[in-house]
Amino acid sequence: MENGHIEETNNFEASATTNGTSTNGGVVQINMDYNTDFPTLPDAAPTNNSAANAAGAKVPVWSRPSLAKKDVVVTFRLASDERSSRVKSFGNTSEEQKKAQFIAQQTKTRIELSESKDGELTVVVRGERAKVEDARARIVRDLQTQASRDVEIPKEHHGKLIGKEGQLLRQLEQSTNCRIHIPGRDDASRAIKITGPREGIQRAAAHILAVSERESKLATEHVICPKHLVPFVRGPFNKTYERLTAETGAKINIPPAAVQNELISITGEKDGVHRAAAEIRAILESKKNVSTVTIPVNRAQHRYIVGQQRSGIHEILEKTGVIVDVPNEELNSDIVTLIGDSALLGQALELVVNRASSVITQSINAPTWLHKHLIGPKGATLTALVPNRNSVQIEFDDNGTIFFEGAPAEVKLAQTALAAEVARLISSMAIEKVKVHPSLHRHVIGRGGSLISKIKDQHEVQITIPNETTNSDEITIEGKKDGVKKAVAEIRAIVTKIENEKSRDIIIPQRLHKLIIGTKGAGVQQIRDAHPNVSILFPDAKNKSDVVNIRGDKNEVDAVYKKLTVLSKELAENNFQQTVSVFKEFLKHIIGKGGATIRKIRDETETRIDLPDNDDDKITVTGKQANVEKAIAQLNKIQEELANVAEETLDIPQKVQARLLGNGRRLISDIEEECGGVHIKFPTEKSESTKVTIRGPAGDVARAVGLLTALAKDKEANFTEDTVKAKSEFHRFLIGKGGSKIAKLREQFNVRIMFPREGDADKETIHLLGPNDEVPKAKAQLEEAIRQLSETVDIKLIVDPKYYKHFLVRGAALVREIQEQNGGVVISFPKNGTDSNEVSLRGSKQCVESAKLKIEEIVEDHEKQITTNISIPAQFHRSLLAGRAQKIQELQSQFNVQIRFPNNRDNSLSGEEADKVSISGRDTKVADAIEALLALVPISKVIQLPTDMHRTLIGKGGESIRKLMTEYDVNILIPKDNASEDITVTGQVENVEQALEGLREKLVEYEAQAEDRKLKQWSMTIEVPSDYHQKIIGQRGATITALKEKFGVYINVPREEGNENITIQGYEEKARACAAEIEEMIGDLRSLFTQEISLDSRYHPRLIGSKGKNLKKVMEDYRVEIRLPRHGAEDPNLVVIAGKDENDVYDCIDFLRAEEEDFLLDNVDRFMSNRSNENGHHHNQSSNGNGNGVQIRGAPWQQLDIGSAEQFPDMGPQATAASHILKCLIQLVVLFSLANFQISSKSSSFFSS
């Protein structure tokens, strides 16, 4: 501030550093240092450690940019004689401090006052910049001595001080810290009163006087100019007006022509104003005696006289000095007036007549629907009809009129040509509108527009369907008269059909939907083929709906409904479904070796049998009801034979059944588990039956019957239920080893105690069920056991320190496991460096004792640990370690041993060393682990199968052989190229035997089908030109796949060039039918109109587009086929276009050529740049120093020595070639990095310039 105070402003902002640049003859050279301009970022943000900073520690300078607003500090001083008040009020707070506090609150800043011995007051203000400035101004006004002064200036100058809406006055008050009072308009006084500090008053007064002085130098003059003489003042093209304003510096305001004002205002400095006014008056004096001539000109021609932006009138004025006054369109007048010297009026009149007759306008009538046919795609038709189109402006009006504008001869030529074409189109084409209710438009359009497109293509018409938002019922059809007539009839037929449609729903169980639909929709397609006017809609499988919708012709809908009713009934009968419970231990016997038993049951009963998942014990049987019951009987018979399965039935009242099944069937599940996994089946909820079935091994069934009978009686009498809460980690101690403790409680109190299951959300609640007088006793004993478990004890255990590492490795995983198994007991090992061998255990007594026993057991295992080596051929190591060594990990976990295989990457190992596998663990467990490991070692057996069976055995894409290997968990090796009949099966002994049995069964099936295969081997060859091979294959093989599925044949299309023989293999009748269809297809293709054109190969990717979308759209729009050249073709620019209609082909060619031209023009710069790069242009330019460049010093890539063996060592004699390739790649990466950097810097230099 400049008001006599000392001000200090601190703004906390980081300074920016710029790179050094130098220029040499207009060339910009940027010099950069890698270490300075690209500094290494610190690993972490700087910390606010004042102690470290004070000690001189180096603090990283980099930090995240702060987005908070920055505060500023302003300091200024008030001399003793400038202070308005130095009197202290009551207490230690002065009047100045009160004012400062008030201002700080109002402006949300911090203000500090400090008084020196000589009475000078120092003020410090902190806060946001705008608020600090406001606070500083208030402090100066309130704390500094105030004075006043009057300044007189002319009344007309006051407005210049106030400004728009008082903006200038406010700025002056703020900058001088003064209050300025300007008298109002009605006040006659000229004095302006200024109140504030002395320095501010002086500055404000000086500013006011300066403004007044500047205004007093200005002047204004007015000149009366008749409206018709204004163009003389302006001059041609405003030249006179611009010259006057430039030479005199005055502002000349000439009223617009539309305003009825003849006063020209001139403002500015006095000399310039007087000069400009004098010259304008001289111009008006010289034109005082001008003459006037009028001439009638057709109003349509007026615009040609005026010209673009009135250029015609200005040209006449410039050439002749005559004004041409053309009336406005609103006046509806044909009279054109010329004003000027009488000697020049004749020349001007001639110019006006010439301009008026140079261009004429004509029109013809043509229906609006014909306009697009006259214009054609991108104006191609109009260009062909009117050769002189560039000389004539043609406009198509929405009212059915075509306007022509241009030279008379050109207009006549274009008008004649278009009139003849309009007459021809009207005689051959027609347009008709069909009224169709908007709700039926989608039916006319068809799915994906298929129906409307079909009508358009068949009848060669254009059909316009109104937008849904318009709610219009008119569909417009235009085209050739015959085609329009047929299209209208077809649309009306569709509407009639839709109006006669009917929709009906039928309930079919969802599990039958897939069966009705059939493989690849074959089943439902048969119904659709028989009733083509009916649509059958099945619900989405995710919706779990049984409703199937039938829509179509009324009569046919009813017929389909009957068919589906009968079909669903048959399918329901043939797909009756029932489940049977099996014991998991018997499941493998039910399946049989290689699935033989289950297949036999499926074949004999003609049912589908689905085996249970891992967590289920129910087999699902599907088929006819009688067959299902037969299959279930066989399954139950197998179980009964295996375990003497018995079945008992109990009578339990329905009321008691509900009590037994309460709490999520918890009690029944507990009984099933206690009685060896018997199956207890209760009647369904809606059934009134009292029969409960118990099935399982005879002994277990008898136990379950006894328990259920007792429970049922007690439930009817005096049974009660209760619960106890206990931490889940205490449950194992409450249950006891093998359930001993809980069994003792049950026997003692005749109470059933049920612990939470795995799937229960509540893991702590224990349920008790028993007689009224026994349950409280059992609960009390359980609570006492829980209380004892909750009591904490501390014990010490002596453990040799050499075993600590076994407990503490892998983040003390073993310690955590012991804690989880023993109620969360706390286990503390001595710290490193101490001589103690005591391990502390803290927790409930039982948990601590259990953890102690576990630790002692682990220590004993390590003390008695042994290591044994066995020999397993190295070729089997990989199979043993397959699946991330899952089998080996299971063995290690089962026997608590460590199994180690040799490193297969170590080439120095000899044969015996490579086969050696070491097993470490307790002596009693190692022997068992060795036996289990050797059982996993695979064996190999050979089976001979005919070579012609190998292909069938492998299956499509290896699917069948993979399924066999997965089913039997073996590896099956089939010789390549049918070199041998020997097939090798490798795997575990049991699995290999099952796989061999399965292969023998497949051999029997294969031999039974030999005759049918022989009939399928019949083949024939047809010749098809290679140009049509791709059409036979279709997009992504769709066409050839459809042919294969339709005729059940194999079709081989050759890939090599020049081979035109296509082989068809299958049943003779089917193969010949397929060949006939292919030949018919080729005949259709040959009938197409074909043209070859040359399109720049660089445009081909743009034509194809993303995933071929652009190419598809072009082919659909023009109804043609476009074939692009293959990679490596002799002529890469050759493109073939074929279509049914010659016009479509030519229209497509025109479109492609226009698109190619646009593409090449848009990319000409890039192509020229690529060509320059090929010629080394940029390389020469940079090497000669003629281009902008960037030089970087100390970059990492500049420190590399590609030829150095130390920085790029060889990787052995076998890797010499690889090492050489790696060096080359690194060189390329460095070169490309430098090139990209240089290009980017050149681009930035270009754009900045």
Side-chain angles (χ1 to χ4, degrees), residues 46-57 59:
T47 57
N48 295 325
N49 192 337
S50 59
N53 294 341
V59 179

Side-chain angles (χ1 to χ4, degrees), residues 371-419:
H371 290 182
K372 60 184 175 182
H373 299 287
L374 294 170
I375 296 170
K378 290 190 176 182
T381 305
L382 185 61
T383 302
L385 290 171
V386 184
N388 61 335
R389 185 185 173 188
N390 294 332
S391 305
V392 181
Q393 185 176 351
I394 303 174
E395 292 184 8
F396 291 81
D397 190 76
D398 292 339
N399 297 323
T401 306
I402 304 174
F403 292 96
F404 304 85
E405 183 178 293
E410 302 291 346
V411 167
K412 185 177 181 181
L413 185 63
Q415 183 181 7
T416 304
L418 273 188

Side-chain angles (χ1 to χ4, degrees), residues 890-917:
E890 289 175 357
L891 286 181
Q892 291 181 148
S893 177
Q894 181 181 353
F895 298 105
N896 194 21
V897 296
Q898 289 290 327
I899 303 174
R900 299 193 178 186
F901 286 78
N903 186 359
N904 59 357
R905 297 179 181 177
D906 191 352
N907 297 326
S908 62
L909 294 178
S910 62
E912 293 182 0
E913 290 292 327
D915 296 343
K916 185 169 67 176
V917 178

Side-chain angles (χ1 to χ4, degrees), residues 355-366:
R355 292 189 65 86
S357 60
S358 62
V359 179
I360 65 169
T361 301
Q362 294 294 333
S363 64
I364 62 172
N365 293 324

